[in-house]
Amino acid sequence: MTCAVRESGSGWRCAGVRWPREVPELGWSRGGDRRVSVLAYGAGLGFRAVGERHCVGARGNVCPLGAVVPGRSTGGRCAECARLDRAHSVAADTMADDPRTYRVYLAWFGPGMVKVGITGEERGAARLREQGAVAFSWLGRGPLMAARRTEEVLRAALGVPDRIPYAKKRAVRGQLPGSEERAGAVAELYARAAELEGRGWPESLERLPLEVVDQVGIFGLDLDPAPGRSARESAPAPVRSVRELVDGGVVAGRLVAAAGPDLHLAVADGGVVVLDTRLITGWDLTAVTRATEVTEVPEVAGSDVRVPLIDIGGGGVQGGLF
């Protein structure tokens, strides 16, 4: 399936990747209207950025200033809308009376990269997919403040961060260990966390049993297919990522994987470029027809990338615009 990019002038703007289910979707907005394009691995995807990038607003509301925002901003919001969005988030701790049930999770993103977090129970594992967690397990469930307290206790006791930069996640995504090692890393973290029950762990938080969920297949990374399944060729490890969009800049290729906000695109030179879709929010986008004509062959005929790129391993910009 090919992603349908809205034509310039229609007023539709991309809202980035969402994971309400186990397939990635691109969200679109125009005023109060919302639409989605479901993405499929192997399909072509291509667009050209037009004009200037504008603030995406906050909490579903249009930015009253129509402010222009920097191309490298992953937030895509002006200072005022960013403040408003943050003030109403769970992370701001301004919702102490929230009656909903929350879950504490343990997430693994790669060797040495683990974190503890919370999410609303009704959201299921959507938050873990949005963050690009390669494997995870639930730890407990309960009221918001109990979940928040547990999160803080575990971070301090286990010495894990509250967030992991996406640049680090991308750097290891093409060289992940096997499924047994991934599961073992999550199980080890779970055991360490369970030992803290009764020592700062709120009584109102119910501990959940260990159940490791591996998301390699969902993300299309498919490093070690399960027995009985036909193995497809693993996507090459990504080596470059889009640094920013510019007016007239083109991104096009064949979608081979996706994790969190990142789309992995096989491009004309045979490599894989990562597009962080948080960089495309707020832009007017026009379709690049050549990318929609890509067929299921190893070569990606007619695909192109004409925006600044940077080495995923921490190197310099790859030749600026080209």
Side-chain angles (χ1 to χ4, degrees), residues 105-109 119 123-138 215 219 260:
Y105 61 80
L106 307 172
W108 184 90
F109 299 89
T119 185
R123 295 200 68 208
R127 180 62 177 157
L128 283 304
R129 295 189 289 269
E130 291 168 355
Q131 293 186 12
V134 175
F136 74 92
S137 177
W138 300 116
Q215 303 197 117
F219 292 153

Side-chain angles (χ1 to χ4, degrees), residues 82-246:
R83 183 197 63 77
L84 179 62
D85 189 70
R86 176 72 179 179
H88 290 81
S89 70
V90 172
D93 283 337
T94 57
M95 305 164 63
D97 58 347
D98 190 332
R100 294 174 295 178
T101 298
Y102 282 79
R103 288 199 174 201
V104 181
Y105 61 80
L106 307 172
W108 184 90
F109 299 89
M113 290 189 288
V114 295
K115 65 163 288 188
V116 178
I118 69 172
T119 185
E121 186 169 68
E122 75 280 1
R123 295 200 68 208
R127 180 62 177 157
L128 283 304
R129 295 189 289 269
E130 291 168 355
Q131 293 186 12
V134 175
F136 74 92
S137 177
W138 300 116
L139 178 65
R141 63 187 297 274
L144 172 60
M145 298 314 292
R148 177 65 76 200
R149 172 60 180 166
T150 303
E151 179 186 36
E152 294 173 352
V153 167
L154 293 178
R155 284 176 183 167
L158 302 180
V160 296
D162 60 347
R163 63 185 61 202
I164 298 173
Y166 279 102
K168 290 186 176 181
K169 300 175 188 177
R170 295 180 193 119
V172 301
R173 207 175 281 157
Q175 48 189 359
L176 297 173
S179 58
E180 290 187 4
E181 186 172 340
R182 299 194 297 265
V186 176
E188 179 184 3
L189 183 64
Y190 179 94
R192 292 172 58 199
E195 290 177 354
L196 297 171
E197 194 168 8
R199 292 187 289 160
W201 183 304
E203 292 183 1
S204 56
L205 190 91
E206 172 193 356
R207 181 154 67 93
L208 296 174
L210 171 68
E211 184 176 349
V212 179
V213 178
D214 196 295
Q215 303 197 117
V216 160
I218 293 173
F219 292 153
L221 300 174
D222 290 341
L223 301 179
D224 50 353
R229 291 179 54 193
S230 59
R232 72 171 179 83
E233 182 180 357
S234 296
V239 294
R240 294 169 294 174
S241 62
V242 173
R243 185 175 187 178
E244 64 179 310
L245 298 190
V246 294

Side-chain angles (χ1 to χ4, degrees), residues 1 3 24 38-45 232 253-258 262-266 294 300:
M1 177 176 178
C3 171
V38 178
L39 303 180
Y41 302 134
L45 183 151
R232 72 171 179 83
R254 178 168 54 86
L255 182 66
V256 294
D262 293 346
L263 301 181
H264 293 213
L265 301 173
V294 175
V300 188

